[in-house]
Amino acid sequence: MRRSRGLTAALALSLAGAGTGIGLVLMPEASAITPPVAFTADELPTWQPNGVVFAMEQVNGTVFAGGTFSAVRPPDAVAGTEQEAVNFVALDAATGNPTSCKLAFTVGDGTATVRALAVSKDKKTLYAGGYFGAVNGTPVSSLAAIDIETCAPKASFHPAVPATVRALAVTDDTLYVGGDFAAVEGQTRERFAAVDAGSGALKPFTANADEPGRAIQVSNDGKNVLLGGDFFSVNGSNTHALAVVDATTGAVAKTYSTIPSNSVVKHIAADATGYYTGNEGSGGGVFDGRIGLDTGFNEKWRDRCLGATQYVLPYDGVLYSSSHAHDCSLEGQFPDGKRNFLLAQQTDHKGAAPAPVDGFVPSPPKLGWHPTANDGIGEGIGPRVMSIAEKNDVKYMWVGGEFTLINGRAQQALTRFASTGDVGAPTTPLASVGSVKPGEVQVRWRTSYDQDDSKLTYRIYRNGSGTPIATVSADSLEWERPQASWTDTTVKAGQAYSYRVTATDGAGNTSALSANVSVTVPTSVQAYPDKVRADGANLYWRYDDTVSPYVADSSVSGNTSGIQVGAPALGQSPGAITGTSTAMGFNGTSQQVYSDHRQTVGASYSIETWFKTGTTRGGKLIGFGNNTVNSSGSYDKQIYMTNTGRLIFGVYNGSTRTISTGLFETYNDNKWHHVVGTQGPGGMTLYVDGQNKGTNSATNSTSYAGFWHVGGDNLSSWPTRPTSNFFAGSIDETAVYPSALTQAQVKSHFDLAKAAVDTVSKVVATEDTYINQGAPSTAYGTSTQLAVRGTSAYESYLRFTLPAAPSGQVLKSASLQFKTSTQAGAGTADTVSVVPVTGTWSGTGTTFNTKPTLGTTALGSISGVPDGSAVQNVELDTTAISAVLGSSYSLGLTSTGTDAMWLWSAESTAADAAPQLILTFGPK
């Protein structure tokens, strides 16, 4: 599951049949993992500590993990298979199993812990810092050096550090140390110090800080050291949480004042292009995210996501981070809600950096890498540390921390991911389909989510065929799954079509087929939806969906789907619009729909919806807010109902500006009503049932990124606030426009809602059978299949109870729909004709010897039916069918060729199996 962020889907179309794509751009086929992400999100079996991992390092295919724990156990956690591991374990990077290197970090008083690890440049020495007094019994003082080859502590290396060490960084000859201490070797060294990497002798380096040191990173040229922590001063210079000092003397070279006082730096990392900090805060106005610095230590971008960042790891142009990010609203990404513990983003903007926001350049966008974790034990931080190791040409991302779950499965404190072996399939697409004019069907779906693939390939299958009619590529992220769509332009008016969609990632993992969705193509343009689309709606929810939680966007641009919250009632009938359209029902306590697409709203816009209610508790019909499932903190551009049934349209532009219907103009009368609110250069206008109900001069509203809400969201502090934020009743035909509709346009919408439209009747066969010349006395009335062939003869018979034409309407089209079976060779190269049956027959009694008489004039025919189970349509003579409406009517299927066609009967349980007539009625 991977993704590259984009507020609109990047789509690609490869035609397996003619059609058009909505907003399509040709794209190459995706690779196994969407670059620049380098690792799958599929966790690998890894031995687990029974506590917390705070530190990690690797060398030559071995991963070292330190923390606070006493044992490790196998991935399956079988009882009795634990091994002692006292605050340290060495593991094989490729297998996840412990190696033979055993070290015990202990202390005589208190709880020993390992908080930092570093490997020497020659890869021969492992340095460990924390709070401990001995390693395998060798006395040390919170800082130790381990010979990697022998896995033994170096007894000669024992600088006295009287308090916890939290950070280490090493050069060829110097080990830099940060932590809680005020002295080293009895000499004043407050929170930061440097010792000789070989002997442990204290060096002159002095960078005294007033609060704990938590992070150290040597500059790329070795001349400076970046320090991070809780401090407010270093060597007497005011600098909070971050400072750059001389690598030899510790003299302050650069100070920082832009990190809030309630935030600290937990980690610093570097690559060839600069440096990166991970930050943690507590309280209001904190900075919990990441900072990117250039090689001159100047800030180049800032990621202001909330959710304490513990570790940053740049690798091959991507910055991986461990945190519990829960709110990235300030970055234009996910709102406050679910915690995202592992994230990836580019280390630098590709192309020009965006303009500063509130004085800071926004961070590069998040990428599609989303392994899940949990808060876990200890402080409930989740992941704390990361490392990349390589063995046998495979790279492994190791993660340690406090978590007890990875990707929903039990796994404590350690896990790992590989650069190969993606096995996770995308989620199943949620599909919808609609047609508002002859010759065109819009197939749309909510894009899927894949934990390490942001670019997915979608295949659209029509009428049950095993061969896709089209292929579309689209980008998506877990929190940003825009609607993708494809328009089928090969359809015929009056015929029914069904569609299913799959999603495939770059490694070839494919989702299940979406639920089947079907539509009958109208014989004439449907006036109301066609007008909404023509007037420029860029969000249009018709609420005709059959699956939860997806609400399809029927606008021409078609990428802003809705997400149902609390399972609103689907298929409420009759809807607001004459014909077959349905509405959605809301309970007035918890149900709503929000848009699955963060956006800002321009100075000109219109919001429109239909509603029906008898509530006396009011509620929000439609509005804009800065959150999704959770109640919004910023909210306006809204229409809501008061307890008495009045309607109010309001915005906030520094003050609350509203328009309301009259004191006695109430609309909670259990009838359908149409409401539109517009704002533009001419101010605000509220329309109800096509009539202007008031205006004001407000031409602007507060600009912020947010989501459209229907059926509920916050209404605190708004005038005549109703008892409920949530609306109880039915809502239909919601649309949002990027312009202010005119009164003529609003009145046109209201009038067109009641215009006569085509209606469709689907009439399933009440009885069917076939005859077989090769078995002249056998009746096949209970068979799940029917057959048609000229020689030796098979004939099939279907009986239908036809409805009469609705009052004032006539039959405009008729077709027979059937589905070929899964039997080998079920298709036919011959022509199959549909003819009337003039003789009598029954399903259980008709055989070849007693077959009925057939008419001589064909009502329709089909030829060249391909093999493979799929739905087929045969256009029928409308005049002939019109003459028998309101009666029981039989059809026969015959052929003159030798190639048999097999189709499902009404007795089959296969999807779309039963033969049926599709009858379209319309105004005379």
Side-chain angles (χ1 to χ4, degrees), residues 318-337:
V318 173
L319 184 67
Y320 299 90
S321 59
S322 59
S323 69
H324 54 262
H326 58 86
D327 186 354
C328 282
S329 299
L330 293 175
E331 297 302 303
Q333 294 157 18
F334 51 87
D336 195 11

mmCIF file of all heavy atoms in Angstrom, residues 318-337:
data_model
loop_
_atom_site.group_PDB
_atom_site.id
_atom_site.type_symbol
_atom_site.label_atom_id
_atom_site.label_comp_id
_atom_site.label_asym_id
_atom_site.label_seq_id
_atom_site.Cartn_x
_atom_site.Cartn_y
_atom_site.Cartn_z
ATOM 1 N N VAL A 318 14.030 9.680 1.308
ATOM 2 C CA VAL A 318 12.792 9.593 2.088
ATOM 3 C C VAL A 318 13.127 9.718 3.562
ATOM 4 O O VAL A 318 14.097 9.118 4.045
ATOM 5 C CB VAL A 318 12.064 8.257 1.822
ATOM 6 C CG1 VAL A 318 10.867 8.089 2.758
ATOM 7 C CG2 VAL A 318 11.606 8.191 0.371
ATOM 8 N N LEU A 319 12.328 10.495 4.278
ATOM 9 C CA LEU A 319 12.480 10.621 5.717
ATOM 10 C C LEU A 319 11.416 9.750 6.387
ATOM 11 O O LEU A 319 10.225 10.055 6.345
ATOM 12 C CB LEU A 319 12.312 12.079 6.165
ATOM 13 C CG LEU A 319 12.560 12.328 7.653
ATOM 14 C CD1 LEU A 319 14.030 12.091 8.005
ATOM 15 C CD2 LEU A 319 12.136 13.741 8.046
ATOM 16 N N TYR A 320 11.858 8.651 6.988
ATOM 17 C CA TYR A 320 10.965 7.790 7.758
ATOM 18 C C TYR A 320 10.945 8.300 9.198
ATOM 19 O O TYR A 320 11.960 8.780 9.715
ATOM 20 C CB TYR A 320 11.452 6.346 7.721
ATOM 21 C CG TYR A 320 11.489 5.771 6.323
ATOM 22 C CD1 TYR A 320 12.625 5.885 5.535
ATOM 23 C CD2 TYR A 320 10.381 5.134 5.785
ATOM 24 C CE1 TYR A 320 12.662 5.375 4.245
ATOM 25 C CE2 TYR A 320 10.405 4.610 4.498
ATOM 26 C CZ TYR A 320 11.548 4.742 3.732
ATOM 27 O OH TYR A 320 11.570 4.238 2.452
ATOM 28 N N SER A 321 9.812 8.203 9.838
ATOM 29 C CA SER A 321 9.716 8.711 11.210
ATOM 30 C C SER A 321 8.802 7.834 12.039
ATOM 31 O O SER A 321 7.860 7.219 11.537
ATOM 32 C CB SER A 321 9.203 10.157 11.220
ATOM 33 O OG SER A 321 7.935 10.263 10.605
ATOM 34 N N SER A 322 9.116 7.779 13.334
ATOM 35 C CA SER A 322 8.248 7.095 14.297
ATOM 36 C C SER A 322 7.654 8.150 15.218
ATOM 37 O O SER A 322 8.353 9.031 15.712
ATOM 38 C CB SER A 322 9.037 6.053 15.090
ATOM 39 O OG SER A 322 10.105 6.642 15.797
ATOM 40 N N SER A 323 6.356 8.072 15.404
ATOM 41 C CA SER A 323 5.636 9.056 16.202
ATOM 42 C C SER A 323 4.291 8.450 16.549
ATOM 43 O O SER A 323 4.085 7.251 16.402
ATOM 44 C CB SER A 323 5.450 10.352 15.404
ATOM 45 O OG SER A 323 4.539 10.152 14.344
ATOM 46 N N HIS A 324 3.379 9.277 17.016
ATOM 47 C CA HIS A 324 1.978 8.863 17.042
ATOM 48 C C HIS A 324 1.143 9.995 16.438
ATOM 49 O O HIS A 324 0.163 10.453 17.023
ATOM 50 C CB HIS A 324 1.497 8.478 18.439
ATOM 51 C CG HIS A 324 1.706 9.517 19.501
ATOM 52 N ND1 HIS A 324 2.766 9.493 20.367
ATOM 53 C CD2 HIS A 324 0.996 10.622 19.838
ATOM 54 C CE1 HIS A 324 2.690 10.528 21.186
ATOM 55 N NE2 HIS A 324 1.612 11.236 20.886
ATOM 56 N N ALA A 325 1.535 10.424 15.252
ATOM 57 C CA ALA A 325 0.888 11.559 14.588
ATOM 58 C C ALA A 325 -0.616 11.330 14.478
ATOM 59 O O ALA A 325 -1.056 10.335 13.901
ATOM 60 C CB ALA A 325 1.496 11.764 13.210
ATOM 61 N N HIS A 326 -1.372 12.260 15.010
ATOM 62 C CA HIS A 326 -2.830 12.115 15.003
ATOM 63 C C HIS A 326 -3.548 13.296 14.361
ATOM 64 O O HIS A 326 -4.755 13.241 14.143
ATOM 65 C CB HIS A 326 -3.351 11.932 16.429
ATOM 66 C CG HIS A 326 -2.985 13.051 17.355
ATOM 67 N ND1 HIS A 326 -3.728 14.202 17.481
ATOM 68 C CD2 HIS A 326 -1.929 13.204 18.192
ATOM 69 C CE1 HIS A 326 -3.167 15.008 18.351
ATOM 70 N NE2 HIS A 326 -2.057 14.429 18.800
ATOM 71 N N ASP A 327 -2.804 14.360 14.059
ATOM 72 C CA ASP A 327 -3.448 15.537 13.471
ATOM 73 C C ASP A 327 -2.436 16.256 12.573
ATOM 74 O O ASP A 327 -1.505 16.889 13.058
ATOM 75 C CB ASP A 327 -3.935 16.477 14.569
ATOM 76 C CG ASP A 327 -4.738 17.660 14.025
ATOM 77 O OD1 ASP A 327 -4.813 17.811 12.798
ATOM 78 O OD2 ASP A 327 -5.289 18.422 14.846
ATOM 79 N N CYS A 328 -2.632 16.130 11.272
ATOM 80 C CA CYS A 328 -1.769 16.814 10.299
ATOM 81 C C CYS A 328 -2.547 17.878 9.539
ATOM 82 O O CYS A 328 -2.287 18.146 8.364
ATOM 83 C CB CYS A 328 -1.139 15.804 9.334
ATOM 84 S SG CYS A 328 0.246 14.890 10.031
ATOM 85 N N SER A 329 -3.529 18.470 10.206
ATOM 86 C CA SER A 329 -4.355 19.489 9.563
ATOM 87 C C SER A 329 -3.522 20.663 9.070
ATOM 88 O O SER A 329 -3.779 21.206 7.986
ATOM 89 C CB SER A 329 -5.416 20.001 10.537
ATOM 90 O OG SER A 329 -6.281 18.972 10.956
ATOM 91 N N LEU A 330 -2.527 21.076 9.856
ATOM 92 C CA LEU A 330 -1.719 22.225 9.470
ATOM 93 C C LEU A 330 -0.868 21.938 8.241
ATOM 94 O O LEU A 330 -0.368 22.868 7.599
ATOM 95 C CB LEU A 330 -0.824 22.654 10.631
ATOM 96 C CG LEU A 330 -1.558 23.232 11.850
ATOM 97 C CD1 LEU A 330 -0.586 23.507 12.985
ATOM 98 C CD2 LEU A 330 -2.312 24.499 11.474
ATOM 99 N N GLU A 331 -0.700 20.673 7.904
ATOM 100 C CA GLU A 331 0.029 20.294 6.699
ATOM 101 C C GLU A 331 -0.927 19.978 5.545
ATOM 102 O O GLU A 331 -0.495 19.501 4.495
ATOM 103 C CB GLU A 331 0.910 19.075 6.982
ATOM 104 C CG GLU A 331 1.996 19.325 8.008
ATOM 105 C CD GLU A 331 2.924 20.461 7.593
ATOM 106 O OE1 GLU A 331 3.509 20.364 6.492
ATOM 107 O OE2 GLU A 331 3.050 21.438 8.351
ATOM 108 N N GLY A 332 -2.224 20.215 5.753
ATOM 109 C CA GLY A 332 -3.203 19.926 4.706
ATOM 110 C C GLY A 332 -3.419 18.450 4.499
ATOM 111 O O GLY A 332 -3.792 18.016 3.408
ATOM 112 N N GLN A 333 -3.207 17.661 5.566
ATOM 113 C CA GLN A 333 -3.353 16.217 5.455
ATOM 114 C C GLN A 333 -4.433 15.746 6.412
ATOM 115 O O GLN A 333 -5.480 16.363 6.474
ATOM 116 C CB GLN A 333 -1.979 15.564 5.683
ATOM 117 C CG GLN A 333 -0.993 15.920 4.583
ATOM 118 C CD GLN A 333 0.463 15.802 4.975
ATOM 119 O OE1 GLN A 333 0.822 15.151 5.947
ATOM 120 N NE2 GLN A 333 1.333 16.461 4.219
ATOM 121 N N PHE A 334 -4.234 14.672 7.157
ATOM 122 C CA PHE A 334 -5.339 14.108 7.921
ATOM 123 C C PHE A 334 -5.681 14.970 9.139
ATOM 124 O O PHE A 334 -4.809 15.543 9.788
ATOM 125 C CB PHE A 334 -5.046 12.670 8.337
ATOM 126 C CG PHE A 334 -3.717 12.456 9.017
ATOM 127 C CD1 PHE A 334 -3.578 12.614 10.383
ATOM 128 C CD2 PHE A 334 -2.610 12.069 8.282
ATOM 129 C CE1 PHE A 334 -2.368 12.408 11.012
ATOM 130 C CE2 PHE A 334 -1.387 11.847 8.897
ATOM 131 C CZ PHE A 334 -1.265 12.025 10.271
ATOM 132 N N PRO A 335 -6.976 15.065 9.480
ATOM 133 C CA PRO A 335 -7.407 15.835 10.652
ATOM 134 C C PRO A 335 -7.212 15.024 11.927
ATOM 135 O O PRO A 335 -6.802 13.866 11.894
ATOM 136 C CB PRO A 335 -8.893 16.073 10.365
ATOM 137 C CG PRO A 335 -9.306 14.852 9.605
ATOM 138 C CD PRO A 335 -8.118 14.495 8.742
ATOM 139 N N ASP A 336 -7.519 15.646 13.041
ATOM 140 C CA ASP A 336 -7.332 14.999 14.333
ATOM 141 C C ASP A 336 -8.184 13.741 14.415
ATOM 142 O O ASP A 336 -9.388 13.770 14.167
ATOM 143 C CB ASP A 336 -7.709 15.974 15.451
ATOM 144 C CG ASP A 336 -7.210 15.511 16.811
ATOM 145 O OD1 ASP A 336 -6.413 14.563 16.856
ATOM 146 O OD2 ASP A 336 -7.615 16.110 17.819
ATOM 147 N N GLY A 337 -7.532 12.640 14.772
ATOM 148 C CA GLY A 337 -8.246 11.373 14.859
ATOM 149 C C GLY A 337 -7.293 10.224 15.071
ATOM 150 O O GLY A 337 -6.523 10.202 16.039
#
